[in-house]
mmCIF file of all heavy atoms in Angstrom:
data_model
loop_
_atom_site.group_PDB
_atom_site.id
_atom_site.type_symbol
_atom_site.label_atom_id
_atom_site.label_comp_id
_atom_site.label_asym_id
_atom_site.label_seq_id
_atom_site.Cartn_x
_atom_site.Cartn_y
_atom_site.Cartn_z
ATOM 1 N N PHE V 817 -25.912 13.156 105.244
ATOM 2 C CA PHE V 817 -27.386 13.290 105.336
ATOM 3 C C PHE V 817 -27.690 14.691 105.638
ATOM 4 O O PHE V 817 -26.959 15.381 106.259
ATOM 5 C CB PHE V 817 -27.963 12.194 106.166
ATOM 6 C CG PHE V 817 -27.671 12.258 107.665
ATOM 7 C CD1 PHE V 817 -28.619 12.764 108.578
ATOM 8 C CD2 PHE V 817 -26.506 11.865 108.163
ATOM 9 C CE1 PHE V 817 -28.331 12.804 109.917
ATOM 10 C CE2 PHE V 817 -26.116 11.844 109.490
ATOM 11 C CZ PHE V 817 -27.048 12.427 110.402
ATOM 12 N N SER V 818 -28.894 15.026 105.219
ATOM 13 C CA SER V 818 -29.344 16.459 105.316
ATOM 14 C C SER V 818 -30.740 16.680 105.866
ATOM 15 O O SER V 818 -31.558 15.683 105.795
ATOM 16 C CB SER V 818 -29.231 17.114 103.898
ATOM 17 O OG SER V 818 -27.915 17.078 103.379
ATOM 18 N N LEU V 819 -30.910 17.844 106.332
ATOM 19 C CA LEU V 819 -32.205 18.264 106.962
ATOM 20 C C LEU V 819 -32.727 19.453 106.269
ATOM 21 O O LEU V 819 -31.944 20.435 106.033
ATOM 22 C CB LEU V 819 -31.999 18.588 108.425
ATOM 23 C CG LEU V 819 -33.088 19.259 109.182
ATOM 24 C CD1 LEU V 819 -34.335 18.293 109.300
ATOM 25 C CD2 LEU V 819 -32.714 19.825 110.548
ATOM 26 N N LYS V 820 -33.966 19.488 105.801
ATOM 27 C CA LYS V 820 -34.596 20.685 105.408
ATOM 28 C C LYS V 820 -35.818 20.975 106.316
ATOM 29 O O LYS V 820 -36.602 19.988 106.459
ATOM 30 C CB LYS V 820 -35.033 20.579 103.976
ATOM 31 C CG LYS V 820 -33.847 20.673 102.985
ATOM 32 C CD LYS V 820 -34.258 20.792 101.552
ATOM 33 C CE LYS V 820 -33.059 20.795 100.621
ATOM 34 N NZ LYS V 820 -32.106 21.783 100.880
ATOM 35 N N LEU V 821 -35.950 22.178 106.837
ATOM 36 C CA LEU V 821 -37.163 22.541 107.674
ATOM 37 C C LEU V 821 -37.685 23.773 107.029
ATOM 38 O O LEU V 821 -36.996 24.822 106.918
ATOM 39 C CB LEU V 821 -36.755 22.786 109.141
ATOM 40 C CG LEU V 821 -37.810 23.185 110.114
ATOM 41 C CD1 LEU V 821 -38.794 22.002 110.282
ATOM 42 C CD2 LEU V 821 -37.126 23.585 111.434
ATOM 43 N N THR V 822 -38.904 23.727 106.545
ATOM 44 C CA THR V 822 -39.572 24.819 105.829
ATOM 45 C C THR V 822 -40.323 25.772 106.699
ATOM 46 O O THR V 822 -40.554 25.354 107.913
ATOM 47 C CB THR V 822 -40.467 24.308 104.742
ATOM 48 O OG1 THR V 822 -41.518 23.611 105.319
ATOM 49 C CG2 THR V 822 -39.709 23.427 103.776
ATOM 50 N N SER V 823 -40.633 26.962 106.249
ATOM 51 C CA SER V 823 -41.468 27.945 106.918
ATOM 52 C C SER V 823 -41.042 28.155 108.385
ATOM 53 O O SER V 823 -41.830 27.995 109.234
ATOM 54 C CB SER V 823 -42.903 27.444 106.889
ATOM 55 O OG SER V 823 -43.328 27.229 105.628
ATOM 56 N N VAL V 824 -39.807 28.435 108.570
ATOM 57 C CA VAL V 824 -39.241 28.529 109.851
ATOM 58 C C VAL V 824 -39.737 29.810 110.597
ATOM 59 O O VAL V 824 -39.965 30.825 109.933
ATOM 60 C CB VAL V 824 -37.687 28.492 109.964
ATOM 61 C CG1 VAL V 824 -37.249 27.102 109.414
ATOM 62 C CG2 VAL V 824 -37.062 29.579 109.101
ATOM 63 N N THR V 825 -39.788 29.734 111.928
ATOM 64 C CA THR V 825 -40.065 30.862 112.825
ATOM 65 C C THR V 825 -39.013 30.863 113.879
ATOM 66 O O THR V 825 -38.166 30.042 113.978
ATOM 67 C CB THR V 825 -41.495 30.751 113.352
ATOM 68 O OG1 THR V 825 -41.404 29.688 114.337
ATOM 69 C CG2 THR V 825 -42.573 30.441 112.335
ATOM 70 N N ALA V 826 -39.169 31.976 114.729
ATOM 71 C CA ALA V 826 -38.222 32.198 115.839
ATOM 72 C C ALA V 826 -38.218 30.916 116.698
ATOM 73 O O ALA V 826 -37.143 30.569 117.366
ATOM 74 C CB ALA V 826 -38.604 33.360 116.600
ATOM 75 N N ALA V 827 -39.267 30.176 116.764
ATOM 76 C CA ALA V 827 -39.373 28.963 117.615
ATOM 77 C C ALA V 827 -38.450 27.843 117.164
ATOM 78 O O ALA V 827 -38.194 26.929 117.760
ATOM 79 C CB ALA V 827 -40.766 28.478 117.674
ATOM 80 N N ASP V 828 -37.935 28.002 115.923
ATOM 81 C CA ASP V 828 -37.081 27.041 115.376
ATOM 82 C C ASP V 828 -35.602 27.272 115.622
ATOM 83 O O ASP V 828 -34.666 26.590 115.239
ATOM 84 C CB ASP V 828 -37.192 26.882 113.797
ATOM 85 C CG ASP V 828 -38.608 26.308 113.511
ATOM 86 O OD1 ASP V 828 -38.974 25.218 114.087
ATOM 87 O OD2 ASP V 828 -39.304 26.891 112.697
ATOM 88 N N THR V 829 -35.314 28.484 116.296
ATOM 89 C CA THR V 829 -33.963 28.832 116.732
ATOM 90 C C THR V 829 -33.433 27.790 117.718
ATOM 91 O O THR V 829 -34.172 27.479 118.729
ATOM 92 C CB THR V 829 -33.955 30.257 117.324
ATOM 93 O OG1 THR V 829 -34.253 31.148 116.341
ATOM 94 C CG2 THR V 829 -32.545 30.464 117.935
ATOM 95 N N ALA V 830 -32.388 27.104 117.423
ATOM 96 C CA ALA V 830 -31.900 26.045 118.288
ATOM 97 C C ALA V 830 -30.488 25.589 117.861
ATOM 98 O O ALA V 830 -30.016 26.101 116.794
ATOM 99 C CB ALA V 830 -32.880 24.855 118.209
ATOM 100 N N VAL V 831 -29.901 24.863 118.689
ATOM 101 C CA VAL V 831 -28.726 24.092 118.328
ATOM 102 C C VAL V 831 -29.160 22.795 117.712
ATOM 103 O O VAL V 831 -29.979 22.043 118.267
ATOM 104 C CB VAL V 831 -27.742 23.885 119.476
ATOM 105 C CG1 VAL V 831 -26.546 22.990 119.010
ATOM 106 C CG2 VAL V 831 -27.242 25.147 120.147
ATOM 107 N N TYR V 832 -28.726 22.543 116.459
ATOM 108 C CA TYR V 832 -29.116 21.359 115.786
ATOM 109 C C TYR V 832 -27.977 20.345 115.791
ATOM 110 O O TYR V 832 -26.867 20.672 115.515
ATOM 111 C CB TYR V 832 -29.486 21.646 114.327
ATOM 112 C CG TYR V 832 -30.801 22.346 114.167
ATOM 113 C CD1 TYR V 832 -30.982 23.729 114.611
ATOM 114 C CD2 TYR V 832 -31.980 21.713 113.777
ATOM 115 C CE1 TYR V 832 -32.242 24.335 114.518
ATOM 116 C CE2 TYR V 832 -33.136 22.297 113.716
ATOM 117 C CZ TYR V 832 -33.303 23.669 114.083
ATOM 118 O OH TYR V 832 -34.581 24.271 114.046
ATOM 119 N N PHE V 833 -28.299 19.087 116.208
ATOM 120 C CA PHE V 833 -27.335 18.021 116.265
ATOM 121 C C PHE V 833 -27.697 16.881 115.304
ATOM 122 O O PHE V 833 -28.867 16.633 115.070
ATOM 123 C CB PHE V 833 -27.327 17.356 117.644
ATOM 124 C CG PHE V 833 -26.938 18.268 118.759
ATOM 125 C CD1 PHE V 833 -27.902 18.888 119.531
ATOM 126 C CD2 PHE V 833 -25.532 18.441 119.076
ATOM 127 C CE1 PHE V 833 -27.515 19.728 120.649
ATOM 128 C CE2 PHE V 833 -25.207 19.262 120.189
ATOM 129 C CZ PHE V 833 -26.200 19.837 120.973
ATOM 130 N N CYS V 834 -26.685 16.241 114.824
ATOM 131 C CA CYS V 834 -26.954 14.967 114.174
ATOM 132 C C CYS V 834 -26.318 13.835 114.986
ATOM 133 O O CYS V 834 -25.416 14.070 115.712
ATOM 134 C CB CYS V 834 -26.303 14.914 112.728
ATOM 135 S SG CYS V 834 -24.619 15.345 112.465
ATOM 136 N N ALA V 835 -26.966 12.631 114.886
ATOM 137 C CA ALA V 835 -26.469 11.529 115.815
ATOM 138 C C ALA V 835 -26.819 10.241 115.081
ATOM 139 O O ALA V 835 -27.747 10.130 114.280
ATOM 140 C CB ALA V 835 -27.149 11.651 117.094
ATOM 141 N N ARG V 836 -26.032 9.209 115.375
ATOM 142 C CA ARG V 836 -26.171 7.917 114.751
ATOM 143 C C ARG V 836 -27.077 7.010 115.562
ATOM 144 O O ARG V 836 -26.932 6.783 116.780
ATOM 145 C CB ARG V 836 -24.794 7.245 114.562
ATOM 146 C CG ARG V 836 -24.773 5.929 113.874
ATOM 147 C CD ARG V 836 -23.451 5.333 113.674
ATOM 148 N NE ARG V 836 -22.939 4.843 114.982
ATOM 149 C CZ ARG V 836 -21.815 4.178 115.063
ATOM 150 N NH1 ARG V 836 -21.054 3.994 113.954
ATOM 151 N NH2 ARG V 836 -21.340 3.767 116.227
#
Side-chain angles (χ1 to χ4, degrees):
Chain V
F817 62 105
S818 298
L819 167 71
K820 289 190 185 299
L821 180 66
T822 63
S823 304
V824 297
T825 69
D828 295 309
T829 294
V831 176
Y832 286 75
F833 297 97
C834 52
R836 184 181 69 173

